[in-house]
Structure formats: C-alpha cells, structure tokens
Amino acid sequence: MQVGTVIKSVNYALGNLNQWMSSKKAKLPIVAFPSTAELVPEPLGLVLIISSWNFPLGLSLEPLIGAISAGNVAVLKPSELAPACSSVLAGNIHTYLDNKAVKVIQGGASVSEQLLQHKWDKIFFTGSAQVGRIVMSAAAKHLTPVTLELGGKCPAVVDSLASSWDREAAIKRILGGKFGACAGQACIAIDYILAEKTYTSTLVEQLKVATKKMFGENPKESYSVARIVNKRHFLRLKNYLDEPMVRASIVYGGSFDEDNLFIEPTILVDPPPTSAIMTEEIFGPLLPVITLSKIEDSIQFIKSRPKALTIYAFTNNETFKKRVISETSSGSVTFNDAVIQYAADTIPFGGTGESGFGKYHGKFSFDNFTHEKAVLSRSFLTDFWFRYPPWNDHKLQLFKSIYRFDYLGILLTMLGFNKS
Ligand code: NAD
C-alpha cells in the first residue's frame, strides 16, 4: 500500500512539475506603473527529513518527493524502529537517486540529535509531539523553518445512519480505519468513537460482529492483525488496559500475548475520561466508544480537547456536517470514511495546533520545500514626482487618492485643486 501510494505521488509530481516550477505573474498597484511582477519558486536549499516508523517508506519518501521536486538537496533520517525499511532506503536510494543530492543517515534519537545541531534550510519532521518540541527548539537556534507532522487523538463521531447499507459501510470503514490501519498504529487512525446513548448499544453490537468477521474467532492467527512495534509500546498499551476501571469497560477482546507483541482488537465502552486511554494518543488496537446524551454534544467534546489531525464524522445530517466544519478546528475533516484522505494529491495533509503545522502531498509538498521569491521589474519610462521628498500636503493628497483608486481625486489634485 505504501509503495503504491508513493508511486502514485511520484507520477503526479512528474506530470505537474513543469507547471509548479513556472513563475506566476502578479498584479501591482498603480504607483508602480509601468512594471511587472512575478513569483519565482526557488529551492530552500539543504533539507532534513526525520520520519517515524509506522509507515516507514511512505513517510520518508512522500516528503522526499516534495523536497527534490522543488530542487532541494536532502538528508533523510528514517526511524530506527523500522530497521528493515531504514536499511532498504539506505541501501538503495544512492543507486537510484543522485548521491550528491540525497543521502540517507540511519540511527536513533542520538543520531537525530546530532543532525539537529547543524544548520538546515528546512526540517520536515514526522513523529510525536514530544519529539516535535525538541526538533523545533533545535531549529530555532538557526531560525530554520520546520514542518511538524504530529499525531494525537482523532475522534470519529458516529451518527445513527438511517439506511442499513450506509450503516454497514460505516462499520467496515470505522474498523478498517482503526484495526486495519497497522493495528491502530497510524497518526490518522480513529482514536475513539463518540455516539449518542440511544444508538451506542446497537453500534457496539455491530462493531463486535464486524470485528469478528474481519479478524476471526482467533485474531492472533489472523494475517490481518499487525503486531505492536516493540515491547515499550506493547507495555504502554497494556498499561492502559490494566487500569481496573478501563478493564471493566472492555466489551470485546482485551487479550494479549507479550512474546508475540500481540494485542487483540479491543472495544471499550465509556472508560473513565481521566484514564490514560482517554487522555493520551492510543496508537494501537484499542477502540473506546464514548456515550453522549445527543450527537451534537460531540462538538463541545472535541472542542474541549487539543486539535486533532483529523476529525471523522459518519453522518448524513447536512446541518451537523456544517457545524463540524465551522465549529471545530483540525488538520482535516473526513465524512463517512477514514484514513482515505491520506491518498489524495489534491488536498493538503497536515495538522494544526497540537497535531502539528505545515502541509504536504501533491503541489502542497512542492510548496512546502519552496520559497516563492517576489520579483518586481520596473521600467524607466515614467517617474512620478510626488514619490520623492520634500513632502507636502499636495503630494500626500495624491497618495491618498491613488491608494483609494480615486481617479477623479488624482486628476483634481494633479490640476491643483485640493479635494479635501
Ligand atoms: P517519535 O517521535 O518517537 O520518533 C520520530 C523520529 O524522531 C524517529 O526518526 C526518531 O529516531 C526521532 N527521534 C526520537 N527521539 C528523538 C530525539 N530525542 N531527538 C531527535 N529525534 C528523535 O515517533 P514515532 O514513535 O516514530 O511515531 C509515532 C508518532 O508519530 C505518533 O505520535 C504518531 O501520531 C506520529 N505520526 C504522525 C504522522 C503524520 O503524518 N502526522 C505520521 C506518522 C506518525
């Protein structure tokens, strides 16, 4: 899936690059007449890309496409937590790309920290908010611009859809966007569900049935259940479930196998709001369903928490959709599906607030690694005398008229009449 998405993005960039690279004409105010202006894209220079482990090829190569298509040279530091992919990138990129333009440096936090001590023209970071803060502090020393692609808790508001067809599709998309997305170890995986109390029990029953259908009676044997990346993250997730009040809220799953780093796709109903599972990013196959008095309460629930990378809402209620768009803030909003927004080249991908800043994919990737230089070319044909000192009321009056596009005022002032 990652490879296919990257190939699609490369082809999209190749097909559009000529247009992206071309200068864009800009309009100028009348005081600059006659002259021309354009925006000329230029590369930022030397960029550092630090990526996370969970989609190790995609999250390394997608930003690299933007960096090199915009004409930069790049150093890529993939995650040490996906060592096989990191070594594939290090072992192959130099064969296919200009070795003077792209280098891969492997290693963990200490290598990253050393790289961050150098001066870069741009740092593109994908990972946790905690490390994002370290990256931003290091960049500040050199006034280096950064893009932070972070995570957080992506809510999914699930309305009681009227038709059974819609409901069935929604359930599959929710589970695909949670357990199917690397066992929930994805920044845009659904973190938790918000549903109205009149609908929760029906929804939970449907989720249970569909989960069993997708992953079988014994999900440990299923080829479709990804493992947790390492012991540290396994124990982090297990600790969430070990809180007694959280364990009591499990309605499906809940089993695990430490030797195999396996955690069963697990559904919980109303774990305590102050428990770690509801305050930290889950990033694993645990799916809390939170009951609200009415679906509209989800807006306040979401607004009272840090801004998410994506808000999902499964609903056919157009008024409610408009409220989600206008009353909440997040990197993106996706209605009636999950995760699919990542594959689009025509819409930006990125967060806001705690979920990061800066955007990429398609043309947005090119722009992310580009400085748009303003170029203004003035002719010597005319020169307005009122632009220069000594200043007087007459000249001031002319400027005021010009900036108001008040052509009569300009004429009258030029003729010596003071309009004011
Ligand atoms: P992480 O922050 O632990 O690591 C990310 C990168 O930072 C790795 O390359 C790592 O080597 C490096 N790093 C670790 N410690 C560092 C330090 N002290 N100084 C400098 N660099 C350091 O994140 P992760 O575990 O790889 O990924 C999980 C997180 O990333 C989750 O929060 C997830 O939501 C987020 N994420 C976001 C996106 C997105 O596109 N917005 C995509 C994937 C993952």
Side-chain angles (χ1 to χ4, degrees):
M1 187 184 88
Q2 288 181 73
V3 175
T5 311
V6 168
I7 292 171
K8 170 199 63 67
S9 300
V10 169
N11 288 331
Y12 188 78
L14 288 174
N16 289 284
L17 202 49
N18 275 342
Q19 195 208 336
W20 296 347
M21 286 163 53
S22 60
S23 305
K24 314 264 175 317
K25 295 250 172 287
K27 288 183 178 166
L28 288 168
I30 193 165
V31 274
F33 177 82
S35 54
T36 58
E38 56 184 346
L39 304 178
V40 179
E42 68 173 22
L44 294 173
L46 175 60
V47 307
L48 173 64
I49 297 167
I50 301 176
S51 56
S52 69
W53 66 267
N54 56 332
F55 291 90
L57 294 178
L59 296 172
S60 299
L61 296 178
E62 280 289 344
L64 187 64
I65 294 167
I68 58 179
S69 62
N72 299 277
V73 293
V75 169
L76 170 62
K77 210 294 286 168
S79 171
E80 74 284 12
L81 300 190
C85 287
S86 176
S87 70
V88 164
L89 290 167
N92 287 281
I93 277 193
H94 64 89
T95 314
Y96 298 102
L97 296 174
D98 182 351
N99 201 22
K100 290 200 214 86
V102 183
K103 287 247 189 289
V104 180
I105 296 183
Q106 297 192 80
S110 62
V111 170
S112 242
E113 281 163 10
Q114 284 177 53
L115 288 169
L116 287 171
Q117 283 171 18
H118 294 273
K119 180 172 170 20
W120 304 89
D121 297 303
K122 168 97 198 195
I123 300 173
F124 188 103
F125 171 79
T126 303
S128 59
Q130 186 197 353
V131 179
R133 286 182 168 84
I134 296 172
V135 170
M136 205 166 157
S137 311
K141 269 188 220 139
H142 301 288
L143 291 180
T144 299
V146 291
T147 289
L148 299 181
E149 295 287 341
L150 311 178
K153 293 177 87 62
C154 299
V157 185
V158 185
D159 202 357
S160 53
L161 299 157
S163 98
S164 60
W165 170 270
D166 291 2
R167 239 178 288 143
E168 222 171 279
I171 296 291
K172 281 191 267 183
R173 291 172 190 181
I174 290 165
L175 295 178
K178 177 67 177 186
F179 304 134
C182 196
Q185 298 168 101
C187 55
I188 46 172
I190 293 171
D191 194 275
Y192 60 90
I193 287 176
L194 298 172
E196 195 166 291
K197 65 174 181 235
T198 51
Y199 179 50
T200 315
S201 54
T202 312
L203 172 66
V204 168
E205 282 318 305
Q206 287 169 333
L207 287 171
K208 285 184 189 174
V209 171
T211 305
K212 193 167 275 177
K213 213 166 159 187
M214 276 186 192
F215 305 107
E217 288 284 347
N218 185 3
K220 207 167 127 186
E221 304 299 323
S222 165
Y223 182 69
S224 306
V225 180
R227 292 323 190 231
I228 306 308
V229 65
N230 58 26
K231 194 141 175 185
R232 179 167 69 85
H233 282 290
F234 174 89
L235 293 175
R236 177 182 61 80
L237 291 161
K238 183 173 167 295
N239 284 342
Y240 288 169
L241 293 183
D242 282 347
E243 271 189 56
M245 299 273 279
V246 173
R247 183 140 285 281
S249 71
I250 296 175
V251 294
Y252 184 88
S255 71
F256 44 80
D257 173 357
E258 190 168 338
D259 293 338
N260 270 299
L261 299 179
F262 165 82
I263 296 186
E264 184 179 0
T266 299
I267 302 167
L268 310 92
V269 176
D270 289 325
T274 52
S275 57
I277 199 172
M278 285 315 297
T279 53
E280 308 284 323
E281 179 180 14
I282 297 176
F283 217 63
L286 315 176
L287 181 57
V289 179
I290 305 300
T291 309
L292 301 174
S293 299
K294 48 188 198 311
I295 201 74
E296 287 76 13
D297 294 348
S298 58
I299 293 189
Q300 192 46 42
F301 190 99
I302 291 168
K303 276 171 73 169
S304 63
R305 284 160 176 77
K307 293 180 183 179
L309 190 53
T310 297
I311 295 172
Y312 298 109
F314 292 80
T315 179
N316 290 325
N317 180 336
E318 296 304 323
T319 312
F320 182 64
K321 283 185 190 174
K322 281 189 191 136
R323 285 196 61 193
V324 171
I325 296 170
S326 64
E327 295 180 34
T328 66
S329 177
S330 56
S332 60
V333 174
T334 299
F335 291 116
N336 299 332
D337 209 337
V339 176
I340 196 159
Q341 73 276 15
Y342 181 84
D345 293 306
T346 47
I347 51 176
F349 183 85
T352 181
E354 193 71 11
S355 56
F357 57 85
K359 49 188 189 284
Y360 74 134
H361 288 198
K363 166 84 159 55
F364 305 98
S365 294
F366 179 88
D367 292 342
N368 192 309
F369 291 98
T370 295
H371 165 60
E372 271 197 320
K373 184 158 61 185
V375 178
L376 188 153
S377 303
R378 186 82 210 282
S379 152
F380 285 114
L381 266 181
T382 57
D383 202 29
F384 295 117
W385 49 271
F386 54 84
R387 278 183 54 190
Y388 307 107
W391 306 117
N392 57 37
D393 287 350
H394 185 66
K395 288 181 181 177
L396 183 64
Q397 189 58 37
L398 258 174
F399 268 118
K400 278 187 184 163
S401 302
I402 285 166
Y403 281 110
R404 283 188 209 128
F405 296 101
D406 175 4
Y407 298 110
L408 180 62
I410 297 168
L411 183 67
L412 290 175
T413 314
M414 299 269 262
L415 293 173
F417 296 99
N418 192 340
K419 256 189 80 200
S420 61

